[in-house]
């Protein structure tokens, strides 16, 4: 049966976009409507200005109508009922219904119990519906999207039919949202975070009645793909692909009017199943619930809970297990009172039997890690219980042999520098662009990475270059164009491996804007691209035009295209799951998307994992990783979007608040990303005219973008980080505190005497204008360079690190003496990592020559915490004799002999 499309109406623009989210517009819209409905009811009862009140209500209804067409509650029929009351001028009933809906929405009670939208005289129908739906109590609720061009009557029949399938034993409960077109389906997928599954029925029109400003950006100009001319029968499949790109976690089904067998043969991998018309409604219902269960299951958490409920005697080395050592104690009862017994009942280890082992998983841990891999878009995932500090060392040790060259972001987390020492890598440090005004670094430009690779190629060392290691996003929220970096590097070295330290970015995989710029998201896209015939053609054209030019400048100035026949996708990502998602402290993950893992890495990875993993990992941390994965697979999209909303709201408030903007300014993309890396030309995601509309554009085109990442200070900035636990109240609280600070500053400034004011201005100037230039990495001393005639900069940090264990080859030097020697052009070489906090990156690593820029920076820093520097002694450096520094006269004897005397490491 082919349904007739509805009559085509002109498209209506919805003037909202995802940034300053539709959800807040919706929340605020209902609050506003409640107020206006009250006023209208009062005006009607007491004879006020009815037309004015009506006008205001009509305006809000107009705003809410398109939004509500994408949600199951109050749903299309509920909203129509509201409109009918308004049109019939039944203002008291209208007011009553608006309040009922608004309350149910704000308390989210519609998820837990039946909310009647009927008026009194319809009580009988209501009773019947209530009986049907009462069973929802205590079951997780979700919404099912149905894409089909149905009349209101047909929609109601379908809703009833699906409700009639409910059984007492169903674990979840759902309501339906019906949308009529391709575009509406996409809008619904973006708007409605309650959606968990989508049924695409055969044949539906393309266009929505509404036009959403961000849609065309998010969908990469899909209209130009010839969608208009695509037969209706093929739209379903394409819609499935598009939905999977936006929200890959959704379960997709197709119900078709043509031969289901035929369609099933052609269906893309995104669909769970295909059904023929309505004949299989029950089967569809079961499939939907079953697929939700697949995401809901938490194999390890469940196993641990079952274990904790079994009566067992504990005869292994874990006295706290089952709370025994506490329950019997006279002195530490408060520990149970605080934590509850559950956590101790679940304290166990692999050796006690019954549960899986993290070191050799074959049971629930193995399955749970596989589920995590699915959720984060990896081929395989490994859990780590000692944070990303350990995760990073595992990956580096697994991939690097002594003597391999690694290109490493100098401002990366210290675990990488130590990882290099442990693995014996030859390190080429990459410099990020400096942001001197804020005493922080940006990210490493693609041009510098290419330049280093080309230098190494010229020196005949490309075969030794194994890994590029970058931080995405940086501590300050700067995010790479991950796909471009990998593409261009692979064009120079096709088997290069990438480690993206995404310690702060675990949340990013659950939102379409961010996912594009994650290591796993980009790896999947590259893999697909290298198989795509269009890309092969593009490469052939590129090769023809570009050739193999001698001059490096051509390589640097051209956007390089890798050879899809030779390029391998070899990507590793580390996540501090505990930093941005629900997980106990130290819960981290390693995600692997490496085509050559089985062949080249598996054994070494296993050994590296064994090297760094405790034989007594904490099972509570593991269980939290399992549950955290369930959460993001079911509500990650909602949580991440809300987290972004909160950060945006904070920025908007500060940018528009008269007092706050006097003292505080949010750094915008223009402050943190220099023009040359911002082809979009956009300076700030928010401005008062265009509001948030341009953020998508930056995320599409700029070499670096600025994420919302907040929790540290630099000399003159403070970083606040919103996360998936942030609420509107906490944002309001922060604003309140900022206002108080601003008020205090106002009062203090007014009370200052002229000399005090001069001093104050001087201090402010020093903090905001006279900032020390951030130093680049200088170079490794030739003693620690790899090969005496090396023309490339790689250094053997491990040699320097272990050599510093020998007291006889090291000495301490005070700052004034060091300054004097460096000014006299003497080579002084650090024996230690020297790391000031903030900014928290090593300004010196073992084997590095100390430059005057570095000393100027240290001197200008007003931080007291400098790891690796002892104020009473100074800096630990190598003696001239040990490394053959200049001034052979004062060193005495032949340097070569002393070099040989240095410990061989
Ligand atoms: C970029 C980066 N990588 C790794 C880590 C280490 O992570 P964890 O605290 O999980 O050990 C941090 C910690 O701050 C970090 O900022």
């Amino acid at each position: 049966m082919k349904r007739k499309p509805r009559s085509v109406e002109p498209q209506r623009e919805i003037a909202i976009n995802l940034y300053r989210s539709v959800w807040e517009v919706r929340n605020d819209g209902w609050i506003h409507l409640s107020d206006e409905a009250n006023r209208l009811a009062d005006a009607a009862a007491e004879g006020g200005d009815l037309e004015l009140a009506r006008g205001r209500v009509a305006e809000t209804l107009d705003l809410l109508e398109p939004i509500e067409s994408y949600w199951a509650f109050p749903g299309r029929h509920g909203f129509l009922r509201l409109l009918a009351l308004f049109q019939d001028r039944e203002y008291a009933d209208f007011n009553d219904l608006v309040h009922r809906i608004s309350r149910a929405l704000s308390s989210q009670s519609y998820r837990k119990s039946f909310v009647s939208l009927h008026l009194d005289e319809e009580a009988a129908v209501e009773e019947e519906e209530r009986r049907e739906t009462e069973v929802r109590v205590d079951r997780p609720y979700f919404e099912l999207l149905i894409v089909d061009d149905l009349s209101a009557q047909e929609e109601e029949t379908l809703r009833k039919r699906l409700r009639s399938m409910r059984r007492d034993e169903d674990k979840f409960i759902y309501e339906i949202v019906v949308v009529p077109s391709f575009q509406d389906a996409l809008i619904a997928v973006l708007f409605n975070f309650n959606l968990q599954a989508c049924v695409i029925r055969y044949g539906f029109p393309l266009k929505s009645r509404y036009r959403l400003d961000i849609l065309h950006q998010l969908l990469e100009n899909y209209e130009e793909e010839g969608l208009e001319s695509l037969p209706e029968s093929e739209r379903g499949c394409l819609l499935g692909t598009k939905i999977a790109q936006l929200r890959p976690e959704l379960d997709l089904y197709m119900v078709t009017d043509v031969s289901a067998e035929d369609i099933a043969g052609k269906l893309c991998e995104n669909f769970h199943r295909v059904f023929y018309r309505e004949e299989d409604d029950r089967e569809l219902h079961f499939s939907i619930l079953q697929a939700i269960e697949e995401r809901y299951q938490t194999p390890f958490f469940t196993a641990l809970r079952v274990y904790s409920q079994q009566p067992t005697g504990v005869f292994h080395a874990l006295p706290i297990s089952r709370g025994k050592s506490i329950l019997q104690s006279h002195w530490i009862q408060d520990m149970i009172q605080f934590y509850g017994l559950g956590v101790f009942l679940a304290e166990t280890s692999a050796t006690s039997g019954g549960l899986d082992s993290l070191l050799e998983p074959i049971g629930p841990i193995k399955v749970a890690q596989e589920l995590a891999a699915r959720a984060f878009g990896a081929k395989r995932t490994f859990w780590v219980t000692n944070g990303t500090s350990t995760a990073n060392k595992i990956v580096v040790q697994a991939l690097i042999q002594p003597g391999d060259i690694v290109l490493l972001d100098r401002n990366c987390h210290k675990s990488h520098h130590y990882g290099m020492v442990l693995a014996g890598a030859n390190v080429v440090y990459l410099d990020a662009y400096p942001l001197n005004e804020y005493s922080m670094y940006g990210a490493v430009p693609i041009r510098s990475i290419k330049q280093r690779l080309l230098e190494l190629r010229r020196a005949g060392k490309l075969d030794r270059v194994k890994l590029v290691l970058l931080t995405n996003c940086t501590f300050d929220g700067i995010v790479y164009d991950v796909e471009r970096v990998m593409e261009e590097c692979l064009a120079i070295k096709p088997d290069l491996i990438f480690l993206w330290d995404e310690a702060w970015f675990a949340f990013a995989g659950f939102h379409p804007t961010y996912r594009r710029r994650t290591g796993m998201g980009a790896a999947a896209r590259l893999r697909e691209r290298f198989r795509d015939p269009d890309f092969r053609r593009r490469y052939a054209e590129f090769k023809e035009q570009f050739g193999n030019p001698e001059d490096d400048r051509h390589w640097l100035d051209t956007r390089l295209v890798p050879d899809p026949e030779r390029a391998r996708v070899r990507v590793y990502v580390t996540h501090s799951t505990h930093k941005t998602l629900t997980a106990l402290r130290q819960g981290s993950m390693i995600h692997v998307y490496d085509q050559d893992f089985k062949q080249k890495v598996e054994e070494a990875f296993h050994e590296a994992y064994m090297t760094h993993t405790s034989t007594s990992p904490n099972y509570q941390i593991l269980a939290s990783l399992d549950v955290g994965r369930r959460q993001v697979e079911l509500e990650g999209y909602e949580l991440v979007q809300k987290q972004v909303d909160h950060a945006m709201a904070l920025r908007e408030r500060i940018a528009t608040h008269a007092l706050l903007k006097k003292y505080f300014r949010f750094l915008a993309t223009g402050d943190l990303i220099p023009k040359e890396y911002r082809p979009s030309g956009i300076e700030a995601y928010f401005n008062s005219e265009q509001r948030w509309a341009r953020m998508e554009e930056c995320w599409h085109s700029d070499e670096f973008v600025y994420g919302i990442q907040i929790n540290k200070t630099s000399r003159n900035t403070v970083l606040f980080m919103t996360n998936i636990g942030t609420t509107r109240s906490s944002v309001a609280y922060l604003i309140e505190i900022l206002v108080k600070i601003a008020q205090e500053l106002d009062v203090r400034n007014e009370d200052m005497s002229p000399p005090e004011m001069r001093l104050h201005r001087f201090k402010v100037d020093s903090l905001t204008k006279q900032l020390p230039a951030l130093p680049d990495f200088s170079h490794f001393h030739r003693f620690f360079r790899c090969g005496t005639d090396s023309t490339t900069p790689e250094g053997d940090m491990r040699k320097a690190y272990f050599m510093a264990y020998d007291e006889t080859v090291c000495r301490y030097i005070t700052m004034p003496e060091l300054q004097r020697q460096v000014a006299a052009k003497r080579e002084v070489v650090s024996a230690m990592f020297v790391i000031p906090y903030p900014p928290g990156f090593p300004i010196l690593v073992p084997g590095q020559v100390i430059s005057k820029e570095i000393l100027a920076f240290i001197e200008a820093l007003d931080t007291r915490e400098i790891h690796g520097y002892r104020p009473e002694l100074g800096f630990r450096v190598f003696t001239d004799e040990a490394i053959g520094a200049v001034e052979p006269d004062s060193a005495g004897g032949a340097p070569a002999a002393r070099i040989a005397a240095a410990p061989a490491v």
Side-chain angles (χ1 to χ4, degrees):
M1 174 187 65
K2 186 114 170 53
R3 272 172 274 270
K4 271 199 280 164
R6 292 181 313 183
S7 59
V8 179
E9 298 170 35
Q11 280 197 317
R12 191 179 135 191
E13 189 83 33
I14 311 182
I16 34 188
N17 63 55
L18 266 177
Y19 302 100
R20 282 309 267 121
S21 130
V22 66
W23 306 336
E24 272 191 36
V25 174
R26 185 182 186 215
N27 282 345
D28 296 347
W30 279 100
I31 293 169
H32 196 63
L33 187 62
S34 300
D35 290 348
E36 297 301 343
N38 254 340
R39 280 197 199 107
L40 180 62
D42 286 352
E46 292 158 19
D49 188 342
L50 207 55
E51 281 321 300
L52 180 71
R54 255 188 84 82
R56 290 208 177 115
V57 167
E59 222 174 80
T60 317
L61 285 172
D62 247 24
L63 171 81
L64 285 173
E65 189 185 351
I67 300 176
E68 292 308 329
S69 63
Y70 301 106
W71 298 84
F73 181 84
R76 183 167 161 187
H77 64 293
F79 205 80
L80 285 176
R81 182 161 299 166
L82 207 57
L83 287 181
L85 289 175
F86 180 64
Q87 272 147 17
D88 294 347
R89 299 185 174 246
E90 302 282 355
Y91 297 133
D93 286 344
F94 174 76
N95 188 23
D96 180 40
L97 194 52
V98 167
H99 278 82
R100 228 183 294 171
I101 294 173
S102 182
R103 264 198 311 274
L105 283 173
S106 64
S107 65
Q108 301 205 26
S109 61
Y110 72 95
R111 300 178 71 106
K112 299 188 189 81
S113 57
F114 176 65
V115 180
S116 168
L117 300 181
H118 295 276
L119 299 169
D120 284 348
E121 63 268 26
E122 292 164 305
V125 186
E126 179 192 315
E127 266 317 299
E128 193 189 320
E129 287 199 6
R130 181 179 290 144
R131 244 180 285 120
E132 271 175 21
T133 50
E134 259 166 359
V135 282
R136 89 171 32 170
V137 177
D138 285 342
R139 301 181 206 198
Y141 163 92
F142 66 92
E143 293 178 12
L144 167 70
L145 182 68
I146 296 184
V147 189
D148 200 353
D149 196 11
L150 300 182
S151 68
Q153 184 59 40
E154 287 169 322
E155 181 178 325
E156 208 42 42
T157 311
L158 177 63
R159 176 172 290 108
K160 289 213 165 105
R161 225 178 37 238
L162 285 172
R163 273 189 187 163
S164 72
M165 310 274 165
R166 289 179 185 166
R167 301 166 308 160
D168 284 351
E169 59 270 36
D170 287 351
K171 215 164 158 182
F172 314 104
I173 198 154
Y174 64 88
E175 293 286 355
I176 63 167
V177 185
V178 179
V179 293
S181 73
F182 189 100
Q183 288 184 339
D184 283 303
L186 295 174
I187 298 174
V189 162
L190 290 172
F191 276 18
N192 184 343
F193 51 73
N194 286 341
L195 292 180
Q196 295 294 350
C198 171
V199 176
I200 297 175
R201 313 240 288 182
Y202 178 80
F204 46 81
L206 169 67
K207 293 243 180 207
S208 164
R209 286 196 299 148
Y210 308 115
R211 191 166 175 78
L212 183 68
D213 45 6
I214 49 147
L215 204 58
H216 66 282
Q217 289 162 5
L218 274 173
L219 301 174
E220 297 173 354
N221 301 326
Y222 69 102
E223 269 157 319
E224 284 155 32
E225 286 172 18
L227 236 188
E228 295 279 10
S229 55
L230 200 69
E232 284 196 5
S233 58
E234 288 176 31
R235 284 181 187 168
C237 203
L238 183 64
L239 179 56
T241 310
K242 292 294 172 197
I243 291 177
Q245 281 167 6
L246 294 173
R247 289 185 56 190
E249 74 279 11
L250 296 190
D251 305 313
L252 301 179
Y253 303 88
M254 184 173 281
V255 173
T256 155
D257 277 14
V258 295
S259 156
E261 299 85 338
D262 267 9
I263 294 267
K266 291 182 210 148
L267 268 193
C268 35
E269 58 188 1
N270 301 313
F271 285 87
H272 263 250
R273 274 190 72 174
V274 56
F275 294 94
Y276 182 58
R277 278 209 203 151
E278 285 96 39
E279 68 174 19
D280 272 339
D281 269 357
R282 190 165 298 277
E283 196 58 20
L284 174 66
H285 172 77
F286 292 149
S287 303
I288 288 168
L289 295 183
Q290 171 61 29
I292 300 293
E293 173 64 27
E294 280 175 27
R295 278 186 276 155
Y296 187 82
Q297 62 170 318
T298 41
F300 185 69
F301 174 56
T302 307
L304 194 62
R305 276 173 64 182
V306 171
Y307 166 86
S308 73
Q309 280 146 26
Q310 287 166 2
T312 40
V314 180
F315 292 101
H316 63 99
L318 193 57
I320 202 170
S321 179
R322 315 197 70 71
K324 295 271 163 72
S325 66
I326 309 169
L327 287 169
Q328 291 165 21
S329 163
H330 301 296
W331 295 93
I332 58 171
Q333 286 294 320
D334 48 347
M335 195 171 178
I336 294 259
Q337 281 159 16
F338 182 64
Y339 287 108
L341 191 56
V343 70
F344 304 108
L345 289 177
E347 264 301 296
T348 182
S349 72
T351 44
S352 71
L355 281 167
D356 210 356
S357 155
L358 181 64
L359 290 160
E360 294 288 354
I362 49 166
I365 293 185
K366 180 168 184 288
V367 183
Q369 289 186 143
E370 284 163 7
L371 296 181
R374 175 187 70 194
F376 289 91
K379 290 291 175 201
R380 35 180 70 73
T381 287
F382 300 88
W383 286 348
V384 179
T385 56
N386 190 30
T388 301
S389 305
T390 291
N392 287 336
K393 287 179 210 138
I394 292 173
V395 177
V396 167
Q397 184 177 323
L399 298 174
I400 299 302
Q401 290 183 30
D404 284 344
I405 295 176
V406 177
L407 270 57
L408 175 64
D409 168 10
R410 201 265 310 238
N411 310 311
C412 64
H413 186 254
K414 64 185 166 101
S415 53
H416 296 294
H417 305 282
Y418 290 116
M420 296 298 127
V421 169
L422 294 176
N426 288 178
V427 182
V428 174
Y429 277 114
L430 300 166
D431 285 311
Y433 61 82
L435 292 163
N436 290 328
E437 277 172 78
Y438 309 109
S439 275
M440 61 171 90
Y441 278 95
V444 182
I446 177 68
R447 200 179 170 85
S448 324
I449 307 173
K450 282 161 71 178
Q451 200 157 15
R452 289 296 185 216
L453 285 173
L454 293 169
E455 274 167 31
L456 289 157
R457 183 168 75 170
R458 211 163 268 291
K461 294 181 181 170
L462 206 52
D463 59 323
R464 280 176 46 214
V465 181
K466 261 285 185 53
L467 181 69
V468 172
L469 202 167
L470 297 166
T471 312
N472 186 54
C473 57
T474 68
F475 217 88
D476 299 296
I478 294 172
V479 183
Y480 283 83
D481 185 343
V482 176
E483 202 172 331
R484 175 175 171 197
V485 169
M486 296 203 284
E487 260 195 14
E488 292 214 51
C489 289
L490 290 175
I492 300 173
K493 183 160 201 292
D495 61 349
L496 201 56
I497 312 175
F498 298 87
L499 168 53
W500 295 97
D501 179 339
E502 294 185 356
W504 295 95
F505 218 36
F507 69 88
F510 301 92
H511 192 284
T513 307
Y514 293 86
R515 190 181 312 115
R516 269 206 298 271
R517 286 181 180 249
T518 63
M520 287 298 111
R525 265 198 318 284
L526 282 187
R527 183 83 201 266
E528 213 170 282
R529 185 165 309 157
F530 293 161
R531 289 192 193 129
D532 180 357
D534 277 349
F535 184 77
R536 284 164 188 258
R537 272 192 293 280
R538 203 181 119 207
Y539 172 70
E541 281 166 23
F542 165 80
K543 197 170 164 220
E544 166 117 7
Q545 266 182 11
F546 186 65
N548 189 10
E550 254 302 297
D551 188 347
D552 282 355
R553 256 180 323 168
H554 290 303
W555 290 78
L556 293 173
D557 293 341
T558 307
R559 166 85 193 243
L560 304 176
V561 181
D563 178 354
E565 286 291 334
R566 295 176 59 223
R568 308 294 292 166
V569 179
R570 308 197 60 188
V571 186
Y572 292 73
V573 160
T574 50
H575 277 166
S576 290
T577 320
H578 66 93
K579 286 198 206 301
T580 61
L581 301 177
T582 298
L584 291 178
R585 256 309 186 234
Q586 298 191 5
S588 283
M589 298 197 197
I590 298 170
H591 302 294
V592 180
Y593 199 121
D594 180 355
Q595 282 180 272
D596 295 336
F597 185 82
K598 279 240 155 252
Q599 208 189 330
K600 297 187 178 163
V601 184
E602 193 165 29
E603 291 300 323
F605 191 94
H606 185 257
E607 287 308 308
Y609 196 77
M610 291 292 155
T611 308
H612 295 281
T613 303
S614 163
T615 41
S616 314
N618 184 301
Y619 277 22
Q620 320 304 336
I621 297 178
L622 300 183
S624 76
L625 287 172
D626 202 13
V627 179
R629 188 271 312 149
R630 177 210 286 173
Q631 180 180 38
V632 284
E633 270 201 306
L634 287 158
E635 56 184 354
Y637 176 63
E638 172 188 359
L639 295 173
V640 173
Q641 179 64 51
K642 284 188 173 161
Q643 155 188 354
V644 176
D645 280 352
H646 291 318
M648 298 299 196
L650 195 54
R651 286 163 167 256
E652 191 175 331
R653 291 296 132 70
I654 288 186
T656 51
H657 190 288
L659 180 61
L660 288 181
K661 69 182 182 193
K662 200 164 142 192
Y663 292 106
F664 302 103
R665 180 170 77 84
F666 260 105
L667 296 187
T669 183
D671 296 304
L672 293 173
I673 299 166
K675 267 200 183 66
E676 63 263 41
Y677 311 123
R678 249 185 314 114
S680 70
I682 291 167
E683 293 281 335
Y685 297 152
F686 177 80
N687 70 35
S688 43
E689 286 102 54
Q690 288 171 301
R691 307 187 65 76
W692 295 104
R694 303 190 72 194
M695 175 161 169
E696 266 306 307
E697 211 177 316
C698 301
W699 278 71
H700 245 269
S701 59
D702 291 353
E703 179 170 343
F704 302 112
V705 287
Y706 180 41
I708 308 299
Q709 168 83 316
I710 310 175
N711 82 337
K712 86 176 223 307
T713 55
S714 79
R715 273 190 97 217
N716 52 12
T717 65
V718 184
L719 200 63
F720 298 102
M721 174 166 167
T722 59
N723 60 45
I724 62 168
T726 309
T727 60
R728 273 181 99 169
S729 314
S730 41
V731 172
Y733 183 52
L734 178 58
I735 290 171
E736 196 185 309
I737 297 295
L738 291 177
V739 169
K740 274 199 187 124
I741 294 174
Q743 283 165 342
E744 279 169 19
L745 290 173
D746 253 1
V747 171
R748 198 199 58 181
N749 289 356
E750 276 167 23
D751 293 352
M752 269 185 207
S753 67
E756 278 172 339
M757 185 46 101
R758 273 199 298 281
L759 182 65
H760 171 69
R761 290 223 174 95
F762 174 78
K763 281 188 189 160
V764 170
D765 260 21
S766 130
L767 272 179
T768 55
K769 301 202 178 106
Q770 290 148 22
L771 288 146
L774 291 161
D776 278 346
F777 182 75
S778 52
H779 57 271
F780 284 109
H781 184 262
R782 64 188 164 282
F783 186 74
F784 301 107
R785 289 276 268 277
C786 310
T788 43
D789 57 347
S790 181
T791 52
T792 50
E794 71 277 13
D796 185 349
M797 216 160 44
R798 174 182 162 123
K799 180 171 160 182
Y801 180 89
F802 285 109
M803 192 166 140
Y805 282 22
D806 181 353
E807 287 295 329
T808 65
V809 298
C810 298
R811 66 189 168 109
Y812 279 93
I813 180 167
T814 59
M815 186 67 165
E817 176 59 14
L818 186 56
Q819 281 169 325
R820 202 187 54 73
Q821 294 202 7
V822 170
K825 299 222 171 349
R826 287 206 40 177
E827 288 180 310
V828 187
V829 179
S830 178
M832 303 278 286
F833 285 106
V834 177
I835 310 177
Y837 286 87
F841 65 88
I843 44 172
L844 289 170
V845 305
Q848 182 181 347
V849 173
I850 302 173
S851 65
K852 65 175 190 316
E853 291 78 12
I854 291 171
L855 292 182
F857 180 72
I858 296 175
E859 198 171 45
L861 273 181
D862 40 19
T863 167
R864 262 184 232 127
E865 193 180 337
I866 303 182
H867 297 185
Y869 169 71
R870 294 172 64 179
E872 70 288 9
L873 294 173
F875 296 86
R876 188 170 163 93
V877 298
F878 288 112
T879 59
D880 295 347
E881 294 84 351
I883 57 170
V886 289
E887 285 207 345
D889 288 352
S890 63
R898 288 186 301 281
I899 291 166
V905 281

